Amino acid sequence: MAQVVERFQARSAYTTCMWHNLLTCKAVYDRDGRLAQAKERFSVPYPRQLKENILAQGWKLLHSAMPAYDAQLAKAAKRGDLVSVNHRTAAFLESYFDILFALNEQTHPGEKRLVRLCRERCPLLPERFEENLERLFADLFAGNGRVEEDVRAILGALEKILLPIFEI
């Protein structure tokens, strides 16, 4: 946790999930007070440097690194490799949601109900956030050739809100 909260080290996904769990957990038993100490130590405002690091690393993974998830996903879809499409989509979305929570200075709540939690906790979301995701999900295994277009729409909308905040 210190690597993330105090040293601002971004991960490829779920960067702040353990921090979120610590901050939101209820102690049933804490014999030595270590949990209480950790909660106190890490009950700090969201570090700006951590936010910037998550945005930078996440964007590289989504779009600009070699090989970025968008390119991997497009290739898998073109060759009809459904297992790879599933894996690359999961990796893409893990980084995408990591960025969204960091952008809104929210700790990452884990993998469940992410769209709803973004709607509730993240005032800054890409245009057509839910619509773009729903379209991607509908097209993933349909074999209609629109996955690459869907991913471009998601990234384009994300880029519009990242550019004014962070030079990507």
Side-chain angles (χ1 to χ4, degrees), residues 23 62 92 131 150:
L23 295 176
L62 289 179
F92 177 87
E131 176 187 327
D150 297 340

Side-chain angles (χ1 to χ4, degrees), residues 112-124:
K112 296 175 185 83
R113 299 176 298 279
L114 292 177
V115 173
R116 180 178 61 82
L117 291 171
C118 277
R119 236 185 304 117
E120 292 172 2
R121 299 178 184 172
C122 299
L124 189 55

Side-chain angles (χ1 to χ4, degrees), residues 85-154:
V85 166
N86 186 61
H87 284 228
R88 296 303 80 210
T89 301
F92 177 87
L93 292 173
E94 288 169 355
S95 289
Y96 178 68
F97 282 103
D98 206 28
I99 287 173
L100 293 179
F101 287 112
L103 185 61
N104 287 277
E105 298 181 1
Q106 297 289 315
T107 54
H108 194 304
E111 64 183 19
K112 296 175 185 83
R113 299 176 298 279
L114 292 177
V115 173
R116 180 178 61 82
L117 291 171
C118 277
R119 236 185 304 117
E120 292 172 2
R121 299 178 184 172
C122 299
L124 189 55
L125 289 173
E127 291 177 0
R128 296 183 297 281
F129 166 68
E130 289 183 69
E131 176 187 327
N132 284 340
L133 287 173
E134 288 170 6
R135 191 165 32 126
L136 173 64
F137 296 139
D139 292 338
L140 275 174
F141 303 104
N144 59 19
R146 292 195 298 242
V147 170
E148 189 172 1
E149 174 187 328
D150 297 340
V151 169
R152 272 196 311 268
I154 289 169

Side-chain angles (χ1 to χ4, degrees), residues 19-71:
W19 184 24
H20 178 85
N21 288 339
L22 174 69
L23 295 176
T24 60
C25 76
K26 307 255 187 286
V28 176
Y29 180 73
D30 187 16
R31 179 182 55 194
D32 299 324
R34 291 176 60 200
L35 180 62
Q37 289 172 350
K39 278 181 164 266
E40 184 176 336
R41 176 180 174 183
F42 296 109
S43 291
V44 298
Y46 202 104
R48 177 149 182 82
Q49 187 63 52
L50 176 61
K51 175 181 177 175
E52 291 175 1
N53 291 348
I54 292 171
L55 297 180
Q57 180 168 322
W59 183 256
K60 286 177 187 171
L61 289 169
L62 289 179
H63 182 62
S64 63
M66 185 86 151
Y69 294 142
D70 62 343

